[in-house]
Amino acid sequence: VKTAAKAYAKKTFPWHTDNKDKYFNAAGNGTIMREYPLIWLCSSYEDAAKIFFESAMITHGHPRGIIGAVLYGIFLIMIVQNETHNLHACIDKLIAMKKLWGNIPTRLSWIDINDWKRATPDGYGKLWTECVDAAEKTLLSLKHLQQFSDKEALKQTGCFSAEKGCADIAFF
């Protein structure tokens, strides 16, 4: 967030700075902390995916942070709209929406997505796909985690591993 804030203070996007590598490696869960107020701006899941993507990308460029924010935002809308009280049904619905949350939008409201795409580092598309697949795998694994304690469930998702850490499963 500090890297992004410094860039905005200089009236530029963080993906246009000398520190753009730091921006594209930012995958923290700070993005999901600002999601709840945004759900009231969403008129559809498609609209939500764009809004949450845009909200995340202003400070976090890593696919984990962006994808997690989009998933969490859509999940919040499901809860607020009382779509289901069944976690399995929510998970099934999120998995079915993979094309929605798993793709980089083609158009955003105030940011030129093509400008952002041109700034992404080599291999970003592959990394994006890997993160989408990891998120889907985690969603699928959540179905069986209800039988475990919270700590054991987090351990099984990799929350405590040095390789993944909490960013991978911030939404979950």
Side-chain angles (χ1 to χ4, degrees), residues 93-143:
K93 191 166 186 170
L94 286 169
I95 291 168
M97 293 180 175
K98 181 180 177 181
K99 285 187 179 181
L100 180 64
W101 56 260
N103 289 320
I104 295 172
T106 56
R107 187 180 179 111
L108 296 173
S109 64
W110 65 277
I111 294 173
D112 179 358
I113 191 66
N114 292 315
D115 176 61
W116 180 82
K117 285 181 184 179
R118 284 188 297 274
T120 59
D122 290 339
Y124 191 85
K126 182 179 183 231
L127 179 61
W128 182 274
T129 300
E130 289 169 359
C131 290
V132 168
D133 292 344
E136 181 182 40
K137 182 180 175 186
T138 302
L139 283 169
L140 290 167
S141 73
L142 284 175
K143 287 185 166 189

Side-chain angles (χ1 to χ4, degrees), residues 1 7 17 22 27 34 41 64 67 85 101 111 123 125 133 162 165 171:
V1 173
T17 68
K22 198 170 182 179
R34 58 179 174 254
L41 301 174
R64 279 189 210 117
I67 293 165
H85 294 288
W101 56 260
I111 294 173
D133 292 344
F171 156 70

Side-chain angles (χ1 to χ4, degrees), residues 4 14 44 57 61 80 96-97 102 118 168 171:
S44 67
M57 74 177 288
V80 169
M97 293 180 175
R118 284 188 297 274
D168 270 11
F171 156 70

